[in-house]
Amino acid sequence: MTQLPTPSQSISGEMITIGLLGAGNVGAQVARTLVEDRELISARVGAPVRLAGVAVRDPETPRDWKVPGELLTTDAEALVDSVDLVIELIGGMEPAGALIERALARGAAVVTGNKALLASRGAELNALAAHSGGLLRYEASVGGAIPILRPIEESLSGDRITKVMGIVNGTTNYILDQMDTTGAAFGDALAEAQKLGYAEADPTADVAGHDAAAKAAILGTLAFHAPFSFDDVYCEGITEVSADDIEAAAASGYVIKLLAIAEKHSAGQAPGVVLRVHPTLLPRTHPLASVRGAFNAVFVVAENAGELMFYGQGAGGKPTSSAIMGDVVAVARTVLMKKGTGTSVPDAPSISGEAGLPALPIEKATTQYYIDMEVADREGVIAGIARVLADHHVSIESMRQPGSVTVEGEVEDSDNGARVQIVTHLASEKNLSETVQALRGLDVVKTVNSVLRVEVEK
Ligand SMILES: NC(=O)C1=CN([C@@H]2O[C@H](COP(=O)(O)OP(=O)(O)OC[C@H]3O[C@@H](n4cnc5c(N)ncnc54)[C@H](O)[C@@H]3O)[C@@H](O)[C@H]2O)C=CC1
Ligand SMILES: N[C@@H](CC=O)C(=O)O
Ligand code: NA
């Protein structure tokens, strides 16, 4: 067990002391870097850096990298109280939230990858940091290794962002990719993603879309300078996406991806931002369609910059530790300046709320849709369906009839039934849901198999 330094020891001199909370998938890799690459990290910071302790729940647990026994402690609070910089990699709301609060309250620097916490308490924690002279950085919370938050917050701060759209959850992208390319079953692909260290401790957060929704809230907040939270994001996960949906999409030249989108309404619309996470059909030629495995990619569209794309490993211990370490070096330099000058150096305001843009409900979203249904195979069916769409101001971009099927989905030769797949032009969410309701009421429509949103543009 480690002998913790006292606060007075840690803030005297030019040494930066670090306390790590959690040594799981990401934490173990961060500990490894801080021990094995200590000289490199110290050189990058410009002063010696020392890992003072690693708070764990159980010191006996085997880890991806064996943390030296003398660094281990079960007293996370004492560790937080004794260092210049706290790295929080426990995850979840508590005790992570209370420990971060404790560190910030005493003016310490905090680096975390905890998107769940930031999406619900980000504004409050940023305000606490601003008030106490603490620092809070969380590049690892979105897109794993991909530098995405700093470019939005700093590089694009002189531009106006209009849309952020991306694949931000490695686990679900891995699952959908495996189902699409190898025909793997959902459960097997999820188990593999867990084994590879991509999934959250409770993988429901991944497959239900909650992890991506938290990331959408963080991206939206930084892109639009408005404090959005998890509750502002419309969220659908991938649990309802079937192997049949994936196969049908592939046959029509599409791939299904879980996208997170934060989009500002354009001039002439009610001001605000629609934040949404849902499975989305993308043409196979779309740049996001080729994002495989646990990789992530984020498009940012800004008025002057135009389109930008950020791509890289979105999950996994090692890639995520890279983003954590980037933040560690950056905040350690600021801590060093603070120590040298004795003054509090202001950090960039992360969540300012300056734009005052409200989050808009999903009903305000406008997008294209794919409707897959089984219908009676008789004359006039298509005309009837087309009439329902027209009555609801939804126009058809393309229609496919892949073959005759039974209600159970099996292909057969008889005139028992047929399958119809429609891709609409841009339509409002409200018109679309009324259309689907009306289609379900048509006697020639046997079942509506699925309704998915479609993105054809970046
Ligand atoms: N795994 C990934 O690919 C990524 C994870 N993140 C985030 O990083 C954080 C950590 O993720 P993982 O390392 O994957 O999680 P993990 O579940 O592998 O590790 C968390 C560790 O914290 C420990 N822990 C729980 N309560 C504790 C306590 N009171 N004191 C000390 N340790 C405690 C657990 O025993 C576990 O070893 C989470 O917030 C996660 O959302 C962010 C980006 C990518
Ligand atoms: N569970 C997350 C981990 C990274 O944020 C994911 O799968 O993307
Ligand atoms: Na990142």
Side-chain angles (χ1 to χ4, degrees):
M1 290 276 202
T2 185
Q3 202 53 32
L4 298 173
T6 64
S8 61
Q9 274 175 314
S10 74
I11 55 170
S12 65
E14 299 291 290
M15 164 85 75
I16 308 284
T17 52
I18 299 179
L20 172 62
L21 313 179
N25 289 313
V26 186
Q29 297 303 329
V30 168
R32 180 186 58 77
T33 304
L34 283 166
V35 172
E36 291 181 353
D37 285 340
R38 182 179 172 188
E39 278 182 27
L40 175 94
I41 300 300
S42 299
R44 300 270 163 90
V45 170
V49 163
R50 182 168 72 86
L51 178 60
V54 180
V56 294
R57 232 178 351 196
D58 177 4
E60 304 307 322
T61 304
R63 301 171 202 286
D64 290 348
W65 183 78
K66 193 170 171 6
V67 180
E70 68 276 14
L71 288 179
L72 293 173
T73 175
T74 52
D75 193 346
E77 290 188 352
L79 182 60
V80 164
D81 291 347
S82 67
V83 293
D84 301 306
L85 198 163
V86 172
I87 306 173
E88 184 277 308
L89 288 168
I90 292 173
M93 294 298 155
E94 294 300 343
L99 290 166
I100 289 180
E101 212 176 326
R102 189 178 181 107
L104 291 175
R106 56 175 284 269
V110 174
V111 173
T112 178
N114 193 335
K115 52 267 162 142
L117 182 69
L118 286 158
S120 72
R121 295 185 56 200
E124 174 205 334
L125 294 173
N126 271 284
L128 174 58
H131 177 74
S132 67
L135 302 166
L136 178 62
R137 284 282 165 185
Y138 40 91
E139 180 61 71
S141 67
V142 182
I146 308 172
I148 177 68
L149 300 188
R150 204 179 290 267
I152 288 179
E153 226 178 336
E154 294 176 12
S155 318
L156 290 166
S157 59
D159 206 337
R160 279 198 191 87
I161 292 175
T162 53
K163 182 173 183 180
V164 181
M165 172 171 92
I167 295 169
V168 294
N169 183 270
T171 302
T172 47
N173 202 56
Y174 182 84
I175 294 171
L176 292 172
D177 186 40
Q178 288 291 301
M179 288 172 77
D180 180 47
T181 56
T182 70
F186 185 101
D188 293 343
L190 171 59
E192 190 62 17
Q194 288 178 281
K195 209 168 91 194
L196 292 166
Y198 305 149
E200 295 303 299
D202 176 359
T204 314
D206 296 295
V207 297
H210 300 159
D211 179 76
K215 290 164 175 169
I218 296 169
L219 286 170
T221 294
L222 298 179
F224 299 110
H225 301 269
F228 299 125
S229 78
F230 177 81
D231 294 334
D232 294 320
V233 185
Y234 171 81
C235 177
E236 267 176 47
I238 64 163
T239 46
E240 301 294 312
V241 177
S242 65
D244 183 54
D245 286 332
I246 290 174
E247 214 175 292
S252 308
Y254 291 95
V255 63
I256 300 179
K257 297 287 190 189
L258 185 74
L259 293 194
I261 303 172
E263 190 168 17
K264 190 162 97 173
H265 263 191
S266 48
Q269 294 178 299
V273 177
V274 181
L275 302 120
R276 52 194 166 104
V277 166
H278 48 70
T280 312
L281 247 70
L282 296 171
R284 291 213 173 241
T285 49
H286 193 286
L288 290 178
S290 56
V291 176
R292 305 279 312 273
F295 276 76
N296 283 190
V298 183
F299 269 111
V300 180
V301 185
E303 278 183 12
N304 295 324
E307 289 167 4
L308 304 153
M309 184 169 170
F310 300 83
Y311 171 82
Q313 295 195 65
K318 259 195 183 182
T320 307
S321 74
S322 165
I324 293 284
M325 289 311 302
D327 276 351
V328 165
V329 171
V331 295
R333 286 176 182 153
T334 309
V335 169
L336 196 61
M337 272 202 283
K338 231 162 117 176
K339 282 187 173 189
T341 60
T343 58
S344 167
V345 183
D347 204 23
S350 294
I351 299 181
S352 58
E354 78 195 39
L357 285 170
L360 298 171
I362 186 68
E363 288 72 29
K364 297 285 181 193
T366 304
T367 185
Q368 291 183 252
Y369 296 87
Y370 162 91
I371 309 166
D372 179 346
M373 53 201 149
E374 270 145 40
V375 299
D377 194 6
R378 59 173 193 254
E379 233 172 83
V381 168
I382 300 299
I385 291 172
R387 201 171 318 113
V388 166
L389 270 82
D391 287 349
H392 292 88
H393 311 288
V394 177
S395 60
I396 297 173
E397 185 189 86
S398 64
M399 185 183 295
R400 257 184 108 242
Q401 270 189 283
S404 294
V405 290
T406 64
V407 177
E408 289 77 37
E410 286 161 8
V411 178
E412 64 163 27
D413 297 330
S414 81
D415 60 356
N416 209 15
R419 193 158 176 178
V420 173
Q421 293 158 345
I422 291 172
V423 174
T424 73
H425 282 297
L426 283 177
S428 76
E429 188 80 19
K430 181 172 171 292
N431 287 352
L432 194 276
S433 60
E434 286 171 6
T435 303
V436 173
Q437 212 177 338
L439 286 172
R440 286 203 165 104
L442 278 185
D443 63 347
V444 293
V445 173
K446 294 181 177 177
T447 50
V448 175
N449 294 328
S450 49
V451 180
L452 290 161
R453 295 169 187 86
V454 181
E455 289 284 328
V456 293
E457 285 175 12
K458 285 166 251 168

